[in-house]
Amino acid sequence: VPIVVSFVPFVAGGADMPYRTFAVFNVIGAVLWVGICAGAGYAFGNIPVVKDNFELVVLGIVGVSVLPLVIEVARSLRPRPRIVFGLRASDIDLPGDALARISHWLEARLAAFADLTIANSRAGRDAALRRGFPADRLVVVPNGIDLGAFRPDAAARVRARTRWGIPDKEVLIGHVGRVDPMKDHPTFLAALARLKQGGAGFRAVIIASANEVPRAALAADAARLGLQDFVRIEPAQRDMPEAYNGFDLLCSSSAWGEGFPNVVAEAMACGTPVVATNVGDAPDLLLGPEWLAAAGDPDDLAKVLGAALSRPPPPRALVHAAIEGYSIHALAARTERALEHLVNGHCRRYWTPRQ
């Protein structure tokens, strides 16, 4: 208490507290302090136990006074759990969703209290830095793919195409993702319509994670573009490696928000080449810039898809090899390294796949 009393006037002056307010609080504090002490002495001073052990009572009062200080020191010496944030997306667009925007803003503010933030992509890291995440506590650990499950499989290709009723010789373009504006199904369908108008021969399967109503809406959109005989809408699949093997080409048409696009990596692990929009870390995963299209541009997407269809397909083993650096074992090792740096008091700013 004496220490606090000594600092109060300086703090009040530094905070520009009005003198009248300061004086009122001083008077109230003095009255309460004197009243409590005098009242306690009057109430307990004549009790025999207190009178006979007054020295112990004084020591007890002193002990209670310093108890908060002792508690805080003990807390500071006790190891506390480390807080780690995880970022799975990049430049999220939240039009018309006030609650989501508030949550997005609040996340960036709370990141200051985290000991470490792990982003699963360079794009996610860059977006987090723009939002105010502490740079010295932000690292990149890309997602990992189970390369034992996601691998080229000729028998799986036959099973998938048999189930969909698509002959082996027919070129099949796949699209995988939930029905969400972020995945931009309209741009994909518009690009397919342009390919058809240009005389390209293909079929397409859209695996849409949604209930029947959004899938029916997708089918209606395809029909309005004259694609009803060429596009098949499928629900979420239990065996995604089989589905990826059934495709000759996968398209990721996301408009924004991707971090590390799992669909791109999973398809390539199965040996299926991918055309993707320039969102998130897709450019780091693709076979080259010729497989990359502008986001939200059906003309450019149709152009890149058409060019991919006109080229000889790359060997599936070659496509699989391009993604081998993103195994689940690599994910575990990189995560372990980041956590070890945290525990040891060190934190690298970021990790990139080619370091």
Side-chain angles (χ1 to χ4, degrees):
V1 172
I3 296 174
V4 174
V5 169
S6 300
F7 277 100
V8 164
F10 298 99
V11 174
D16 292 329
M17 177 182 285
Y19 178 75
R20 177 173 294 181
T21 304
F22 177 74
V24 169
F25 281 137
N26 268 275
V27 171
I28 293 174
V31 170
L32 289 175
W33 180 254
V34 172
I36 291 172
C37 291
Y42 179 79
F44 301 106
N46 291 320
I47 297 176
V49 174
V50 175
K51 291 178 64 176
D52 297 339
N53 301 277
F54 189 70
E55 294 83 358
L56 296 177
V57 172
V58 172
L59 291 175
I61 293 173
V62 173
V64 171
S65 300
V66 301
L67 186 61
L69 177 62
V70 173
I71 292 174
E72 288 304 316
V73 170
R75 285 179 176 176
S76 67
L77 296 176
R78 184 184 65 185
R80 68 173 180 82
R82 304 299 177 94
I83 300 173
V84 180
F85 271 24
L87 292 178
R88 312 294 298 172
S90 58
D91 52 338
I92 296 293
D93 187 10
L94 304 166
D97 192 338
L99 183 59
R101 287 200 303 274
I102 292 172
S103 175
H104 198 55
W105 175 88
L106 186 60
E107 178 187 56
R109 305 289 80 76
L110 292 176
F113 298 97
D115 298 289
L116 178 67
T117 296
I118 299 178
N120 73 341
S121 63
R122 291 185 306 101
R125 177 202 69 203
D126 295 343
L129 290 175
R130 291 193 295 271
R131 292 167 57 200
F133 278 66
D136 59 339
R137 284 173 272 157
L138 182 58
V139 299
V140 175
V141 176
N143 288 353
I145 306 300
D146 185 351
L147 299 180
F150 292 89
R151 56 184 176 81
D153 187 337
R157 174 184 174 85
V158 173
R159 291 195 302 269
R161 286 179 170 251
T162 300
R163 187 171 69 254
W164 296 329
I166 297 174
D168 184 67
K169 297 296 184 182
E170 196 153 17
V171 175
L172 180 60
I173 302 174
H175 189 286
V176 177
R178 68 186 183 276
V179 179
D180 186 280
M182 173 180 161
K183 302 301 181 182
D184 201 2
H185 288 87
T187 290
F188 176 62
L189 290 174
L192 294 185
R194 286 161 172 74
L195 281 178
K196 274 299 173 189
Q197 292 167 2
F202 64 87
R203 296 279 297 279
V205 169
I206 298 176
I207 297 177
S209 301
N211 59 39
E212 188 61 35
V213 175
R215 291 203 305 272
L218 273 182
D221 291 341
R224 278 194 291 272
L225 293 169
L227 298 171
Q228 64 274 12
D229 296 328
F230 307 100
V231 175
R232 182 184 181 100
I233 311 295
E234 289 286 328
Q237 306 289 290
R238 295 181 63 87
D239 191 342
M240 282 308 301
E242 179 182 280
Y244 290 129
N245 274 282
F247 302 145
D248 294 299
L249 179 67
L250 181 109
C251 178
S252 174
S253 60
S254 295
W256 41 264
E258 295 285 0
F260 182 98
N262 282 347
V263 166
V264 172
E266 289 171 354
M268 292 181 66
C270 291
T272 301
V274 176
V275 165
T277 49
N278 190 10
V279 176
D281 279 8
D284 292 341
L285 304 178
L286 301 182
L287 294 176
E290 67 274 18
W291 300 88
L292 192 66
D297 186 340
D299 290 321
D300 192 54
L301 184 57
K303 176 183 175 183
V304 177
L305 284 170
L309 295 178
S310 67
R311 289 191 295 267
R316 285 189 171 258
L318 176 65
V319 180
H320 175 85
I323 217 71
E324 285 182 342
Y326 299 96
S327 68
I328 55 175
H329 301 293
L331 166 65
R334 292 161 189 157
T335 303
E336 182 180 13
R337 189 162 68 244
L339 296 178
E340 284 178 348
H341 277 276
L342 171 62
V343 171
N344 295 330
H346 306 288
C347 186
R348 293 192 303 176
R349 286 189 66 172
Y350 59 85
W351 177 92
T352 56
R354 292 179 175 81
Q355 283 185 338

